[in-house]
Amino acid sequence: IDFSEASGDATCVACGTVCEESTIVSSVEFTDGAGGTSNVVGQFVSASCTKPYGGMSGRYVRGGGGRRYGFLRSSRETTLANGRKKIETVASNLRLGAFYIDSAHRLFTMAAQRNFTHGRQSLHIACACLYIVCRQQESAHMLVDFSDIINVNVYALGATYLKFRRLLNLELPIIDPSLYIHRFAAKLNLGDKTSAVATTAMHVVQRMKRDWIQTGRRPAGLCAAALLIGARAHGFHRTKDDVVKALRVCGMTVANRLADFRAT
């Protein structure tokens, strides 16, 4: 059998039967063009894109600073590269490690493959991907933290997150309010008794779980009520306004959670 790498054919020498035709070859060949330029024979298709790269080897480009060698990146590759940069920027502001960045970039790749990036800001999608990873790893980060970093409305960011979660059909774990207790307790200026107040608030949250107060309610309101009870139990004069400013929740929400806890 005679193999021709140039045409990608395999032909039997004895009978002339074509065994293989137009096979994909991995060898890279170049042809000489006019003006001393060289062009690559064939096209390169990446695993993450649907269109081949455009060959542009050895050609002079105006304003490009001389000759450029290699392949032009497709729009899909450019979108993924820009998405990773934005994920790294947001993750560095929240002090998230490389694991969160890699996991969020895989989710961003899935969003690009399903055309979820069309008509939406890539920064919102990057934050949604990072927030999903934080939920999966049960990290103490809330959606409002991401909205503060990129300076957008939390409801606009939440709409992108919900649509992306519905697209991938993700089953995320329920947020445990105890994850945010120590974080919010540090904002109340409790001094040396911060750990003691946080421990008391944890017991209050556990009691709320046993009384089914946690079901169907956001964790920020439960944490605010638990920290207010814990601070007053240790002799600190903290009002609802102090807790509202620290946890960024509505005062009516804190009053309702206190009323629910009082009723049980």
Side-chain angles (χ1 to χ4, degrees):
I1 298 177
D2 182 21
F3 294 94
S4 176
E5 295 184 357
S7 59
D9 298 337
T11 309
C12 180
V13 180
C15 62
T17 303
V18 179
C19 302
E20 295 180 359
E21 184 178 5
S22 300
T23 57
I24 299 176
V25 294
S26 59
S27 60
V28 181
E29 298 181 358
F30 298 89
T31 58
D32 295 332
T37 61
S38 59
N39 300 322
V40 178
V41 177
Q43 294 175 324
F44 177 78
V45 181
S46 174
S48 59
C49 66
T50 57
K51 296 181 180 180
Y53 286 3
M56 190 177 167
S57 298
R59 293 184 179 179
Y60 183 81
V61 183
R62 293 182 180 179
R67 295 179 180 269
R68 291 183 180 177
Y69 295 90
F71 297 97
L72 285 176
R73 288 201 302 185
S74 63
S75 59
R76 179 68 56 84
E77 292 291 329
T78 305
T79 301
L80 295 179
N82 293 335
R84 185 175 183 86
K85 291 181 181 179
K86 294 178 181 179
I87 289 174
E88 291 176 351
T89 302
V90 177
S92 63
N93 291 328
L94 293 176
R95 298 180 181 180
L96 297 175
F99 174 77
Y100 291 86
I101 296 176
D102 295 337
S103 301
H105 184 254
R106 286 193 290 268
L107 291 174
F108 191 89
T109 303
M110 297 176 64
Q113 291 175 351
R114 303 195 180 193
N115 297 327
F116 189 75
T117 56
H118 293 180
R120 295 181 177 89
Q121 296 187 15
S122 58
L123 187 58
H124 293 185
I125 302 176
C127 291
C129 295
L130 275 174
Y131 179 67
I132 289 176
V133 177
C134 291
R135 286 283 301 273
Q136 292 175 344
Q137 300 299 322
E138 296 184 355
S139 175
H141 292 87
M142 304 178 67
L143 196 60
V144 67
D145 301 329
F146 295 91
S147 65
D148 291 340
I149 291 176
I150 63 177
N151 195 19
V152 298
N153 190 354
V154 65
Y155 294 102
L157 188 60
T160 304
Y161 156 71
L162 291 176
K163 292 179 181 178
F164 185 51
R165 176 185 175 182
R166 193 179 303 114
L167 175 67
L168 299 182
N169 195 18
L170 295 176
E171 294 293 337
L172 299 179
I174 300 176
I175 302 178
D176 190 0
S178 59
L179 296 174
Y180 308 101
I181 292 294
H182 292 278
R183 172 189 169 184
F184 291 140
K187 297 182 179 181
L188 295 178
N189 299 324
L190 301 175
D192 298 336
K193 292 187 177 181
T194 301
S195 179
V197 173
T199 303
T200 304
M202 291 276 289
H203 293 307
V204 175
V205 170
Q206 292 176 358
R207 181 56 186 270
M208 289 181 177
K209 289 182 181 179
R210 289 194 293 266
D211 294 335
W212 295 87
I213 300 178
Q214 177 190 2
T215 305
R217 293 175 175 85
R218 296 182 178 179
L222 300 176
C223 293
L227 284 173
L228 183 59
I229 295 174
R232 291 181 177 178
H234 287 272
F236 290 97
H237 182 68
R238 294 293 184 271
T239 61
K240 288 190 296 184
D241 294 335
D242 298 333
V243 177
V244 167
K245 292 179 181 179
L247 277 73
R248 301 182 63 179
V249 295
C250 180
M252 184 62 65
T253 302
V254 180
N256 292 335
R257 298 295 86 81
L258 291 174
D260 295 338
F261 186 70
R262 188 186 304 112
T264 56

